[in-house]
Amino acid sequence: MKAVIVLILVLFFMVGCIGSGPASPKFEDYKTGVKELKVVDSESSFPKLRHQNSRIKGTFRLHNQAAYDAAEIKVSLLGLDREYVKIEDTASVKKGIAEVGLVEGRGLTNDKGEIVDVEFEGFVSSLPPGTGSLFLNYFVNIKYSSKVEFSPTICVDSGLYNFGGCDGTNFENSKGNVRPQTYSGQGAPLAITYLEIIPYGSSDSEIEFRMTLRHIGGRYGKVGQIILNRASLTSNPLSCVFKGGDVEDSRSVLMPDAQEIDLICNGQIESQAPYKSPLYLEIFYEYELKMPRALELKGSASTSGGFSS
Amino acid sequence: MPPGSPGIARRTVQAIGKAARKNIGSGYSPTALPTFTGSSVAVKATSRFVDSISDPGMILFIAGLLTFWVNDSITYPALAIGMAAFFMVYSGFFILKGQGMITIILFLIWYLFLGGVRDINAIRFFIVPFFLLGMIIHAFANKLSHNSFREGLVGELKGAFIPILFFFLDIGLIDFLTNYGLRIDGIAKNLLNFTPWWAFFGLATTRKDNALITTCKFFMIAYIFAMLFVGFPTVVYGQDSQTVPGAEELFQASLERRSEAKAENPLISQLRCLPAGADYSECLKERQLQSQAEANCKNNGVSPNDLGWQDCVDNEKEVLQKTPLRSTDDASRVDYLKAEFVRVDFNTFPSPTYEKQENFPATLIIENPNRQNLGVEVNCGFQKGSKTVTGEVVLNGKQVTSYSTNRGKESLKIFCKPSEPLSEGRYALKIETTLMNIVTDSSLKRAFVKNDIYREKFEDAIKSSAFSVFDAGSSKSPAEFARLNFAFGNFERDPIIVADQPVSFDASIENIGRGKVSRIRTYLFSSLIEEGFFATSGDLNCLQGGDTIFPKSSRSFHLASCFLELPSHLREFNDDYLVETFVAELVYDYTLEQDTGIQILEAVS
């Protein structure tokens, strides 16, 4: 009996020891998957229905769920019929465009991403006499600049010797080619989705990276200008060029309509023997989000029509 | 399909010929052709001609053709109607072998001499028994003479229907229907106006076969082909007329048409353009355009001797060549002005009456939900042939002819009393109500982009958002009586305007109601003016105007064209594109008419 009690106590002790260790900080890698700045509903959302001859006021809530800050944000109500809705200038809105400096993305200091309300106000004019409902379609147009980083640790293998790759087990490919990798995203609507490493296999100790940049955000978004700010292997800069469709430029390019472009980088390797090294790319881009919205304006009509004689 | 369409015209003529020949059947024994041996060709031809004209169909053809050519000079209704009646009886008796004579004679007595019943609802109840009676009498008569009962029945129907139909066509059914909303435009209208109905009928039923008849038939077929060749527009009845016309009304309509100058007969245009060879279609188009323009000028009181004749013709040609803009009903406009006469209830309507100065009632319902300030003017009269007796109007119990209203719904009780005692007979009571100062607005949406690059970039977004409906390029307005149609852009009907390219503007006015646009007071493209648009060339006053004549014979007419300069805020802006709706207003008078057949009876002492 004593032995059973001792055993139970020991088990309790062991369980207690296991469970009472120091709490390790919960780490979430924000820079994965598809995350982006979104327009979300709020209590003070811009109205969907107004009557003629009334004021209209409301906000569009911007929630930056991406892993990077969004800067130089411009919000406008694109295509909202000026005859019926006059958007007025306010402290934050000038000539129909609201400007927001920066909306922080998700990170260690703000794991949900920053939320900012952009307010518009104006006046709904008179509708033509006898109007029932008038539906105005428009876009909440959000333009901003942001960036995406790509920083995998890769195995650099010149392919000159069959060392069996970085972990010594990869003897399959005598030229040192590493199987192409695909990526689901880096926490932004623009992502490097494909990487292929091609060693030159000569004494030049050069290596080539073939990557694909693709817009993987929502269907209302579109990537504009892309600027490759930094590309390096370990600490050695890479020489890169964008290639896609008719486009070919070393640093800056306008994303083609297909919203996909190749990026080819070349660099020196440090050793003929395979080694692991961080690849780092920092790409700035301009982004445009056009969220379709409709505003119903009610006129003076009191009946549903129909001639009664 | 209503009478008067080419399809019907062609099929009717062919069917008539077939039916008539069948009706004639074996009972007819053609005169043997005299044989000429060794005689001269001239004698032979003359003989053939003489032989041909002994055919009743040929006689009708020649007589129909002759009366057709002198038709324009006949302005006396009794003569025209008498001739048509004669042809009706002649064709019934000689061509259709008297198969439908009972019905024809009954019709003649009823329609011409007794005045007939002209309420279209009532006539439905009359016409069937009417034909049935004739058919039964004929069928029994046939049976008694030991012939087929069925033959008599069907023969009476065929033998009466065809001459009666042609009688109506000849005295002006097409013109009458055209006046009351049957839409026949352009060449097709002219062709129908130039149709010698009796001549066609006669030729279709000739029983002989020689070179002369074959040639005539060839020309008849060519004429029908010409009708088909130029096509025929959709027929729309704009008015649910409550009465069918009397013979004099039909003829009156025909006279009205004849009083207007006409374009050249299209068949003549076609013949004259034959030498043009490859340019045939261009020549035909030009001749018709020229003659229509000249006709319009004459109808507007300009004569070829006037100094402004050539300017007028050039201007008319330009207007005719411009296709008037169309617009669409604005579905968002649920409350708008409506007015309609209440159907006459013949159970309570005082006709026929022995009273020579009866108060004839009518009711006009006006729905004015936007409470426009309208003037209402009422006139009435009694028409019998060319004679018109004016009527005294009582409006809502007061002896006035006009008043103003802005009530949401108005039931206007009208009484019309002849100013002098009416004599016995049938009259057309015409009540005309003119709604004055009607304001109908139109709207047009346009998107502006700075240049072609922006257009290319945002065209899809613009079209999927602001112009997601099919007819986005057109202006819209409530389905009232008339409307101002307008469009502007790099291409007028293209809703996306590239700001750094020329912008043209076009406008027209369209009558979409059942009545007539009696006066255009003003038109104003207010948004365009307020926004700072202005005309740089073309008609510099294209954005506003005053009194304008709306052509009587047209449902739509071109108003103005010009090139516009965009205001600076629509040329330079920060946004990717701008969307804006522009409104315009038309102020006009609109006349609605109610025609009711009445009959004054002679009191028996």
Side-chain angles (χ1 to χ4, degrees), chain B residues 7 19 37 97 109 138 158 160 164-165 197 242 254 261 276-277 381-382 386 388 557:
Chain B
T37 48
K97 302 282 284 177
I109 296 165
H138 193 137
K158 282 181 184 170
I164 291 172
L165 172 70
W197 294 105
Q242 293 169 342
S254 183
F382 300 83
S386 53
T388 301
F557 87 102

Side-chain angles (χ1 to χ4, degrees), chain A residues 81-82 130 132 143 302-303 307, chain B residues 332 334-335 338 576 580-581:
Chain A
D81 197 321
R82 292 154 37 96
K143 291 178 180 177
S302 54
T303 65
F307 198 89
Chain B
S332 71
V334 292
D335 282 350
K338 298 166 197 168
D576 295 327
E580 188 157 345
T581 297

Side-chain angles (χ1 to χ4, degrees), chain B residues 24-50:
Chain B
I24 293 155
S26 56
Y28 175 73
S29 53
T31 314
L33 260 170
T35 36
F36 295 89
T37 48
S39 45
S40 70
V41 174
V43 172
K44 204 171 176 180
T46 311
S47 174
R48 276 182 187 168
F49 177 72
V50 171

